[in-house]
Amino acid sequence: MRILIIDAPSSSLTGMVFSLSKNSEVEKVGIAPDTSAAIALYKEMRPEYVVLGMALSVGSRLDFLNGIKKWHPVSFIAVVVNDHSWNNREMYVKAGADFFIDSVSEIESLFSPLVN
């Protein structure tokens, strides 16, 4: 499987990427810090899973989501949020999000079967 993580670099994210990349079921783990890098890597990797983090260094998460499923509609996209209101989540659903993660620790639990 191919996993794309879009977020500003952090030590916890780096550790998770390293752990995922050691798993034999994971073909490739890509990480992109901003919208333009994310779109380029998305087109190159054609990932099955995308985790869209809270902090992008340039661009917005909606910039990435708008239309991205047109290129590779089978990707499962999880968005990390800190806002629990449905109104804000609805715009992400309309743009192509499949799932919401309420904290960074949930990202680790999403992939824990692969990391452990």
Side-chain angles (χ1 to χ4, degrees), residues 3-8 13 16 30-39 42 47 49-66 68-69 76-82 91-93 95-104 107 110-111:
I3 302 168
L4 174 58
I5 300 172
I6 305 164
D7 204 357
L13 187 61
M16 185 177 59
I31 186 162
D34 59 52
T35 303
S36 61
I39 290 171
Y42 185 90
Y49 297 93
V50 176
V51 176
L52 191 49
M54 295 285 299
L56 299 180
S57 57
V58 177
S60 79
R61 299 182 305 171
L62 283 174
D63 290 341
F64 172 78
L65 279 174
N66 285 321
I68 200 75
K69 284 199 167 188
F76 175 83
I77 300 176
V79 179
V80 179
V81 295
N82 63 357
M91 67 182 164
Y92 289 105
V93 170
D98 298 302
F99 186 75
F100 294 96
I101 301 170
D102 291 318
S103 70
V104 174
I107 295 173
L110 182 68
F111 293 114

